[in-house]
Amino acid sequence: LFDSTPYSLQKSPCPKHFVALDDETRSIIVAIRGTASIQDAVLDLYCEPKWDSFLGEYAHSGILASAYATLRSVNATLHTAISRYPYYRLVLTGHSLGAGVSLLISMLLQARRRAEREPVNTDKQNGCNQINPNVVPLLPDSVRIY
């Protein structure tokens, strides 16, 4: 177990989660809990579609905010785990709210890889911008995302 962040210590819309290592399956696992509190329910209800210029897609605003908050929370832990285990796969999983958050995290990580390979148009008309590398980490090509 690398990281487990209690909800009460967080200052962002981040559901409870943990990062674990499974040597048997050679996996780094980020598990995100589903709706389990009033705060989580508020995130579920905050469902206005929000445009995310990095993804180039609309997303559920509460889940998108939770995805970015969870990424900020696990970023250092993921860097440590990936540097120690560069050929392990990254498994993102969750239930309910956590499933939506893990899906958007996966999309953000894949978008970061694409952004590193292709020039990103910063033209506001096209709705694209650069992502903060301190929020969405660039994973090595050896790490597969599931």
Side-chain angles (χ1 to χ4, degrees), residues 54-93:
F54 185 66
L55 287 175
E57 301 284 343
Y58 282 96
H60 180 291
S61 51
I63 295 175
L64 183 63
S66 294
Y68 277 111
T70 303
L71 266 175
R72 280 190 292 276
S73 176
V74 301
N75 198 342
T77 303
L78 278 182
H79 276 293
T80 300
I82 290 166
S83 66
R84 289 184 189 166
Y85 305 96
Y87 292 99
Y88 277 33
R89 64 190 185 146
L90 177 61
V91 177
L92 300 158
T93 188

Side-chain angles (χ1 to χ4, degrees), residues 16-138:
K16 285 190 178 179
H17 60 277
F18 68 91
V19 179
L21 185 68
D22 184 346
D23 290 321
E24 188 175 315
T25 63
R26 298 176 49 103
S27 301
I28 300 164
I29 302 164
V30 178
I32 305 165
R33 189 176 77 180
T35 304
S37 69
I38 298 285
Q39 295 91 345
D40 292 342
V42 169
L43 288 172
D44 287 332
L45 294 172
Y46 187 51
C47 59
E48 180 178 316
K50 181 175 182 187
W51 177 258
D52 185 84
S53 57
F54 185 66
L55 287 175
E57 301 284 343
Y58 282 96
H60 180 291
S61 51
I63 295 175
L64 183 63
S66 294
Y68 277 111
T70 303
L71 266 175
R72 280 190 292 276
S73 176
V74 301
N75 198 342
T77 303
L78 278 182
H79 276 293
T80 300
I82 290 166
S83 66
R84 289 184 189 166
Y85 305 96
Y87 292 99
Y88 277 33
R89 64 190 185 146
L90 177 61
V91 177
L92 300 158
T93 188
H95 168 72
S96 182
L97 172 63
V101 171
S102 63
L103 175 66
L104 284 179
I105 289 173
S106 175
M107 292 173 67
L108 287 165
L109 293 172
Q110 294 291 1
R112 174 73 197 277
R113 277 188 174 164
R114 282 191 306 276
E116 290 296 317
R117 291 187 177 94
E118 305 164 6
V120 176
N121 184 348
T122 56
D123 181 357
K124 299 266 187 208
Q125 252 183 334
N126 292 334
C128 296
N129 65 2
Q130 295 284 351
I131 189 70
N132 181 344
N134 296 321
V135 175
V136 182
L138 176 63

